[in-house]
Amino acid sequence: KQEVTQIPAALSVPEGENLVLNCSFTDSAIYNLQWFRQDPGKGLTSLLLIQSSQREQTSGRLNASLDKSSGRSTLYIAASQPGDSATYLCAADLLYGGSQGNLIFGKGTKLSVKP
Amino acid sequence: KAGVTQTPRYLIKTRGQQVTLSCSPISGHRSVSWYQQTPGQGLQFLFEYFSETQRNKGNFPGRFSGRQFSNSRSEMNVSTLELGDSALYLCASSPTTGTGELFFGEGSRLTVL
């Protein structure tokens, strides 16, 4: 059974710091891995998606990597800003050959960036 | 391009009642998935519909059901509500082909008293 774990559960950093959020999964047979952001009381915003054949994706100050062999993904945030404060969730899509919307989510990392 | 729209955003029900939640996907998206989010269990997959057919189902009791219409809009229904059904219910849509990226709505927050 696929399990997705995110460490740490919460993180507080000063503005401007570079930081790394970690995600691990138990089954390497994933179709893709997605990182999301969730603000309090809101839905999920897709940040980055890495397909199983890729090793990393970049968008602005965000970089996500994927190492299927070790069952790990990291989300790197450069030059953090107070507006980055949110809960970050990673999710593994398990069905090889075609996605059917069944993502396994981690519990998230709650990030607080202090001015 | 409009995003995923969920209605209602907030609702309060009492135990034993039933509730219907609605989701309109992004135009052109034919896959709609539903998730339940609670503080204790996090996000859990409920079911996924594609072209009016349920393709996948999570581990939830039969009180949770859904359907999809020909215009890809989807509804989910929870019957005989229990206190533990209080949660944020999130809908996501996905293009027919591609990477499998999901786009989520703002959710419907259900409180059961």
Side-chain angles (χ1 to χ4, degrees):
Chain A
K1 179 187 172 187
Q2 177 74 278
E3 292 184 0
V4 177
T5 304
Q6 291 186 248
I7 296 174
L11 181 63
S12 181
V13 300
E15 182 177 4
E17 191 161 299
N18 302 326
L19 58 101
V20 174
L21 306 181
N22 296 294
C23 171
S24 62
F25 46 95
T26 54
D27 188 342
S28 62
I30 62 171
Y31 183 61
N32 63 42
L33 188 131
Q34 288 186 240
W35 282 92
F36 295 91
R37 167 186 173 141
Q38 186 174 32
D39 293 286
K42 301 288 189 179
L44 276 63
T45 300
S46 178
L47 296 173
L48 289 165
L49 178 146
I50 312 175
Q51 293 183 272
S52 62
S53 59
Q54 299 173 321
R55 291 192 64 85
E56 67 177 310
Q57 284 286 338
T58 298
S59 175
R61 295 182 294 107
L62 305 179
N63 175 278
S65 67
L66 175 64
D67 184 345
K68 286 175 56 181
S69 62
S70 65
R72 302 177 80 169
S73 176
T74 62
L75 178 67
Y76 175 82
I77 302 176
S80 59
Q81 304 170 357
D84 295 331
S85 297
T87 296
Y88 290 80
L89 296 140
C90 72
D93 193 339
L94 304 179
L95 296 174
Y96 185 76
S99 174
Q100 291 189 359
N102 181 1
L103 300 185
I104 306 298
F105 280 86
K107 293 291 180 69
T109 294
K110 186 175 183 179
L111 174 65
S112 177
V113 181
K114 305 295 186 184
Chain B
K1 197 173 193 182
V4 177
T5 303
Q6 292 189 243
T7 58
R9 290 291 316 279
Y10 304 91
L11 65 167
I12 300 173
K13 295 284 187 178
T14 57
R15 280 181 297 174
Q17 288 187 310
Q18 73 165 12
V19 66
T20 299
L21 309 178
S22 179
C23 172
S24 293
I26 292 172
S27 178
H29 288 190
R30 291 166 62 189
S31 170
V32 174
S33 304
W34 288 89
Y35 288 80
Q36 181 196 64
Q37 186 176 31
T38 59
Q41 298 298 318
L43 276 149
Q44 293 183 288
F45 173 74
L46 281 157
F47 27 65
E48 188 256 358
Y49 287 87
F50 179 82
S51 292
E52 302 179 66
T53 300
Q54 186 182 90
R55 289 200 301 187
N56 207 350
K57 189 177 190 305
N59 188 26
F60 278 82
R63 300 185 296 106
F64 292 81
S65 63
R67 59 178 176 169
Q68 186 181 34
F69 303 95
S70 58
N71 62 358
S72 294
R73 189 177 71 86
S74 177
E75 290 181 348
M76 68 162 283
N77 182 274
V78 187
S79 62
T80 318
L81 285 166
E82 301 176 359
L83 295 178
D85 297 332
S86 295
L88 180 65
Y89 289 88
L90 291 162
C91 167
S93 74
S94 179
T96 304
T97 58
T99 61
E101 185 174 8
L102 293 190
F103 298 87
F104 281 82
E106 292 290 323
S108 293
R109 181 164 297 280
L110 170 65
T111 301
V112 182
L113 303 177

